[in-house]
Amino acid sequence: MRSQAAEGLKMRLPVLVCAVVGFCAAPGLVSGADRSCGDLRQFYTGKGFTLEGVPQTEISGEHLRMCPQGPTCCTSSMEENLASLSTQETEGLIREAGRSLQASFNSLHRSFDNYFTELHGQSERSLQEVLSPLGSLYSQNSPLFAELYSDLRQYYRGVALNLDENLSDFWSQLLERTFKASASTDVSLSEDYLECVAKQQETLRPFGDIPRDMKTKVIRSFVTARSFVQGLLVSADVVNKVSQVAFAEECSKALMKLVYCPYCRGFGSVKPCSNYCSNVMKGCLANQADLDPVWQELIDTMIQVASSFSTEPSLDVVLSSIPVQIYEAVHYLQENMETFTAKVFQTCGTPSEPGTGSPAVHEQKKKSSSLTQNKPNPTVGLRLEMQVTDLSNKLREMRQYWIQLPVALCSKLSAGSTSQDNCWNGITKARYLPGVMGDGLASQINNPEVELDITKPIMKIRQQIMQLKIMSNRLKDALEGNDVDFQDASEDISGSGSGMCLSAQCARNRPGLYAYAPETNPVAGAATVNISVFNLPLLLLFTLLLLQR
């Protein structure tokens, strides 16, 4: 009896060992070697790669460095090729999004520039009609008025002009020529004498309050207009430069695992979980997200500047009224020429006079004129309102671009919200459990998908953050009516600020990927039990002891 029991034990032992250890699986489940790689081969060639070295059936995946190890159709070279491709494709999507945003800024710039240039041109063209009552004073000095508009145009275009000084110089020259035109032909007015006359502009105020009033309004309008178009150009340039920043190696690995590892593991038809995709993209675009606070501040300030164009006196009123104010200023001086001349004699002395002596006002200048050009055409004002509304609305759409970029990318790559239990979570087809990280470099300290050194921000992006800050300050100065210098910024950029790690609190504490073991059945035919070979002798011994009882 004892010998029969021993014989039975020998017969049952392999079966029991198989049952406990799990080594004797059904045929075809040991390594998945019979599983065809046809789908992957077709997909791989569709991406432009050759089939050289691509396996016909699944192979062991111990060689995989980026994808989860296990039965796979990907070799090491395939993994590297697909990793490079995933990086190129994602960087291409970012550049495409950047080009779209650049196009929006360029469109806004063209729209406003065309509008402002048209206002400027209409104002200049109305000079002849408005100033024609001045007779020869206008016709003989038309280059002076043309130069004024040329200076204004160049200033708007960004030329380094001191608008305050240029406007003061214009009024000084106009005073000289008006005084000279009003003088008797018998009086000899030297250049020194006329220069003395011009210096009386500030003290005697020969044109009344018009020069000061016009200067305040024109400077305000042109400073804000110039800073606004500069803000649009700087914003587009920042988008262009940041969109060209290449991904780091850690990000390339994470993108491969997100995008193409499902194909290597037999889940080609399964899209990544949305939260999983979010963590990858938030990690890869962490430095870009640090643009958000200063970016939103710049956009908000540009909206304020755009709104100021319609604040009374509105932009269109200021530009259209320049010829009118020039006429009224000259007319004011002509009406009060005798009083002004007497004061000039007291300051500059009596000019040398071959004839009678003092300048006399020409009678034709006494003519008064009621001008109707103070107010622009109502349709012009309506167009300004439409322009401001359109600019403001489109700028608001751009406010959250940098923190919405990961969302936009994942909308193209990940599964929908209804497929969160059957999506690729980085290991298998199952729900993704880790929470979604915040925005910006500092928030990625515990990102489970992308390992970043948050103490080393990308300096190219930090430089663009500084450019945005500088531009915001210039726009704020413009809102206060202060002239703005648009020299290229050369401030020292230390890289400190958002995203910097300044203490031991930066010690990395990466949590586990999953709260429970994920599915371990990624490929049909793969082994389903994974028991360490180091425990095998103990299991065999334990089984024998049980059978002997």
Side-chain angles (χ1 to χ4, degrees), residues 437-498:
M437 298 294 102
D439 299 303
L441 191 58
S443 299
Q444 308 310 309
I445 189 169
N446 292 321
N447 192 320
E449 308 305 335
V450 186
E451 187 169 355
L452 296 173
D453 185 349
I454 66 173
T455 65
K456 295 180 179 179
I458 299 175
M459 292 310 300
K460 184 174 182 179
I461 293 180
R462 297 293 143 170
Q463 290 168 355
Q464 299 312 305
I465 290 175
M466 183 60 69
Q467 290 295 328
L468 293 176
K469 289 180 178 179
I470 293 170
M471 191 66 241
S472 289
N473 290 333
R474 288 170 173 168
L475 284 163
K476 291 173 184 177
D477 285 341
L479 281 171
E480 298 297 325
N482 299 324
D483 205 347
V484 183
D485 178 16
F486 285 117
Q487 293 180 356
D488 290 335
S490 58
E491 287 81 358
D492 174 60
I493 301 172
S494 63
S496 61
S498 176

Side-chain angles (χ1 to χ4, degrees), residues 252-289:
S252 295
K253 292 179 180 178
L255 287 172
M256 170 60 190
K257 187 177 176 184
L258 173 76
V259 180
Y260 288 130
C261 282
Y263 291 89
C264 291
R265 297 286 287 125
F267 293 115
S269 62
V270 181
K271 287 192 172 183
C273 302
S274 57
N275 286 354
Y276 171 40
C277 181
S278 293
N279 278 343
V280 172
M281 293 304 175
K282 283 175 180 282
C284 289
L285 298 171
N287 282 274
Q288 287 84 338

Side-chain angles (χ1 to χ4, degrees), residues 212-224:
R212 185 178 301 173
D213 180 62
M214 176 178 148
K215 181 187 291 186
T216 300
K217 294 174 181 177
V218 167
I219 288 178
R220 170 185 168 272
S221 295
F222 275 79
V223 166
T224 52

Side-chain angles (χ1 to χ4, degrees), residues 101 105 231-232 234-239 288-302 395 397-403 464-465 468-469 472:
L101 186 58
F105 276 115
L232 294 175
V234 167
S235 299
D237 185 60
V238 167
V239 172
Q288 287 84 338
D290 279 343
L291 286 154
D292 179 67
V294 290
W295 177 264
Q296 291 204 35
E297 181 182 12
L298 175 61
I299 295 295
D300 289 341
T301 309
M302 281 201 287
L395 284 169
E397 294 174 359
M398 305 172 182
R399 287 184 77 250
Q400 295 186 319
Y401 174 78
W402 297 108
I403 58 174
Q464 299 312 305
I465 290 175
L468 293 176
K469 289 180 178 179
S472 289

Side-chain angles (χ1 to χ4, degrees), residues 144 165 229 237 331 369 462:
L144 174 64
E165 291 181 1
V229 295
D237 185 60
H331 185 71
S369 174
R462 297 293 143 170

Side-chain angles (χ1 to χ4, degrees), residues 9 15 43 154 303 407 450 518:
L9 175 60
V15 176
F43 165 78
Q154 289 186 71
I303 291 173
V407 178
V450 186

